[in-house]
Amino acid sequence: MNNLDNLKSYDNVEFVQGHELSEQELRNYCMMKLESAKSNINFLEQMVFNKQGGISTPVSVCEIGGGNGKLLYYLEKKALLKKGINYEVSKSRCELAQKFAQILFCNKVDNINKNFLEVKPEKEEFDCIIMVDIVMQLISPLYNTAEKDAIAWIKQSLKKTGILFLEIEDYSGIIERVRKEGVFRRWEEFPPEDPFQYMLQKMSVDVDNNLVVEKWFIRRDSNEREYFKNVIQSYTKHKIEELFSRNGFDVTIHLCKDDLLFQSGRNGNEIFRVIAKKL
């Protein structure tokens, strides 16, 4: 298995937003993205950041693949964050994260433009590690031992009884559909705050049974297009629970039922949240 191109998939993602929008347009985009993190923040407050079997706040948090930093900034704005580190391989998204920090007057988050697997983990550094929006599913297909390496890094970095929070999408249904029908395509329209108006998505399946997703983004004010591709490993609830349980975590799984995530759920795929507590 070799899908190291996943590390470059987001190279120019949100470059336009960070460099071509007016000050007010950028602020509007920032607030839209911040709002999109609300459902995960509400879940973390209810299920993770509490004194009843969770973690007392403020917390030290590492987000892997945190993009523009919206989730960590939301935690900081709610006074839940002691310190935050965002490992993000996309330079353009790290640059946008710095601009978001200025807009939101946040100063507790360090955005690090690196692959976290290339950074030696500090022992028991974080109360919580966060991987949302299928980040784990993009890491696992990188190479044969990427899944194992990621779990080892996470386990060493978490404090005793620290918590890993994952957001997973089960693509098994769409993979089965693609296998039966061949390539699957669909269109999506974005909200007016986004400089891109439409996206055409093409899905196929590789020899390792990973979902290969290609996307073409069309600008709102022109016919300019951008191309994006990544390879995703699908996990069922049972598979993800078994994986982390045998690696020393106490696992609970919660089906996403809030409106925002159901609206963003692709093609009827099941989206679920995973709380894995280090034992």
Side-chain angles (χ1 to χ4, degrees):
M1 186 183 298
N2 182 350
N3 296 292
L4 291 174
D5 285 349
N6 268 5
L7 295 173
K8 299 180 180 179
S9 295
Y10 292 83
D11 274 359
N12 293 307
V13 170
E14 295 188 310
F15 179 87
V16 170
Q17 290 88 331
H19 292 82
E20 298 184 20
L21 299 185
S22 69
E23 183 177 340
Q24 186 58 53
E25 288 172 334
L26 179 58
R27 181 176 295 276
N28 292 344
Y29 182 77
C30 174
M31 299 314 295
M32 178 189 71
K33 286 299 179 181
L34 202 66
E35 181 65 20
S36 71
K38 186 176 181 179
S39 60
N40 275 327
I41 295 296
N42 289 342
F43 179 82
L44 285 167
E45 283 192 283
Q46 294 170 15
M47 306 301 298
V48 179
F49 301 150
N50 60 69
K51 295 179 181 179
Q52 290 75 39
I55 308 170
S56 297
T57 57
V59 290
S60 58
V61 178
C62 172
E63 184 171 8
I64 297 170
N68 55 44
K70 61 185 181 182
L71 197 152
L72 290 174
Y73 293 139
Y74 206 130
L75 290 175
E76 181 174 347
K77 297 300 286 185
K78 297 202 75 171
L80 298 172
L81 191 68
K82 180 165 56 179
K83 74 168 184 176
I85 292 180
N86 172 24
Y87 284 111
E88 172 54 55
V89 294
S90 168
K91 181 180 178 182
S92 58
R93 301 194 87 185
C94 276
E95 290 174 345
L96 184 61
Q98 293 301 115
K99 294 186 178 183
F100 277 12
Q102 295 173 4
I103 291 171
L104 298 168
F105 299 101
C106 290
N107 57 22
K108 293 185 177 181
V109 177
D110 289 330
N111 296 290
I112 301 176
N113 186 202
K114 288 184 179 180
N115 173 8
F116 78 105
L117 289 173
E118 296 177 350
V119 178
K120 184 178 179 180
E122 296 290 337
K123 188 175 181 181
E124 299 183 359
E125 182 178 7
F126 302 109
D127 296 302
C128 182
I129 293 177
I130 294 174
M131 302 168 76
V132 297
D133 197 16
I134 70 166
V135 166
M136 182 69 188
Q137 295 170 257
L138 298 174
I139 292 167
S140 296
L142 289 177
Y143 54 88
N144 289 341
T145 63
E147 180 184 80
K148 178 182 176 181
D149 293 346
I151 294 173
W153 194 99
I154 290 164
K155 194 169 183 180
Q156 184 169 340
S157 301
L158 280 174
K159 295 179 181 178
K160 293 179 180 178
T161 68
I163 290 175
L164 168 67
F165 170 54
L166 295 169
E167 189 179 86
I168 298 290
E169 187 162 349
D170 181 357
Y171 289 92
S172 55
I174 193 67
I175 288 174
E176 183 64 24
R177 178 176 178 178
V178 171
R179 287 201 173 279
K180 289 181 179 178
E181 302 177 10
V183 172
F184 175 73
R185 295 177 176 87
R186 75 179 189 96
W187 284 95
E188 182 176 341
E189 185 174 7
F190 297 120
E193 294 88 352
D194 199 305
F196 291 90
Q197 186 170 9
Y198 298 109
M199 178 264 290
L200 174 62
Q201 190 172 29
K202 174 184 172 183
M203 302 181 194
S204 57
V205 178
D206 69 10
V207 295
D208 297 308
N209 205 40
N210 295 313
L211 187 68
V212 180
V213 179
E214 297 177 85
K215 298 178 182 179
W216 289 263
F217 296 87
I218 301 175
R219 288 288 296 270
R220 187 171 301 277
D221 54 357
S222 71
N223 289 323
E224 185 180 344
R225 301 177 183 184
E226 290 193 8
Y227 176 74
F228 170 98
K229 176 185 175 182
N230 57 32
V231 179
I232 304 168
Q233 180 171 327
S234 184
Y235 290 99
T236 62
K237 291 193 293 292
H238 174 75
K239 185 176 179 180
I240 204 77
E241 182 176 13
E242 189 276 332
L243 173 65
F244 281 95
S245 293
R246 64 179 159 86
N247 280 282
F249 290 85
D250 179 33
V251 181
T252 56
I253 295 177
H254 305 262
L255 179 65
C256 292
K257 294 185 178 180
D258 49 290
D259 292 339
L260 182 62
L261 281 175
F262 266 125
Q263 289 169 11
S264 63
R266 274 73 65 183
N267 310 296
N269 300 329
E270 190 172 71
I271 302 173
F272 51 92
R273 296 179 171 113
V274 180
I275 297 175
K277 189 171 185 178
K278 180 179 172 181
L279 297 175

